[in-house]
């Protein structure tokens, strides 16, 4: 099932690239690109409240955010848990992983010259083997 999950995410991204419809402002594609970039780096996590996704991130940044709870817990009454968590997680992510990396197999067909990282600047695009 895990293999199918990653394959489906890659298919969705490659399909948009092949069609020339990769939109850097499409919220769904931003989340897909984020998850795919975490796959090349190791662990990842998704924090949700029911079917509503609060945040997703690299496993290390999610763990760090939770371990540093005492640093952001005072924001919970003002912002709510979801936003307080997400704000701190973005700070941790920006320091630890300022950008992301995508690897495309040679068989992917059309590979973009450049692709914006999902909310973190310009990503590195490489030909994977």
């Amino acid at each position: 099932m895990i293999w199918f999950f990653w394959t489906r995410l890659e298919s969705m991204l490659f399909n948009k690239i092949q069609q020339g419809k990769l939109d850097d402002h499409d919220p769904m594609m931003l989340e897909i690109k984020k998850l795919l970039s975490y796959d090349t780096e190791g662990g990842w996590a998704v924090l949700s409240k029911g079917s509503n996704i609060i945040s997703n991130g690299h496993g290390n940044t999610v763990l760090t955010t939770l371990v540093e709870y005492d640093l952001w817990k005072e924001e919970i009454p003002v912002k709510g848990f979801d936003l307080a968590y997400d704000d701190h997680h973005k700070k941790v992510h920006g320091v630890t992983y300022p950008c992301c990396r995508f690897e495309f197999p040679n068989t992917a067909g059309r590979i973009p010259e450049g692709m914006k990282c999902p909310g973190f600047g310009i990503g590195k695009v490489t030909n994977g083997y």
Side-chain angles (χ1 to χ4, degrees), residues 51-98:
S51 62
N52 185 25
I53 295 176
I54 296 170
S55 180
N56 71 49
H58 189 278
N60 290 338
T61 61
V62 170
L63 182 58
T64 300
T65 302
L66 294 172
V67 167
E68 293 179 352
Y69 175 74
D70 287 338
L71 297 177
W72 54 272
K73 70 181 179 184
E74 293 172 6
E75 297 293 321
I76 294 173
V78 177
K79 298 179 178 178
F81 178 85
D82 305 3
L83 188 54
Y85 169 89
D86 197 44
D87 285 351
H88 191 75
H89 180 256
K90 285 176 184 173
K91 289 177 191 172
V92 170
H93 180 85
V95 171
T96 311
Y97 296 95

Side-chain angles (χ1 to χ4, degrees), residues 97-117:
Y97 296 95
C99 201
C100 56
R101 176 180 161 163
F102 296 94
E103 294 184 15
F104 295 96
N106 288 335
T107 58
R110 183 176 164 199
I111 297 174
E113 290 283 322
M115 185 168 58
K116 278 191 173 184
C117 276

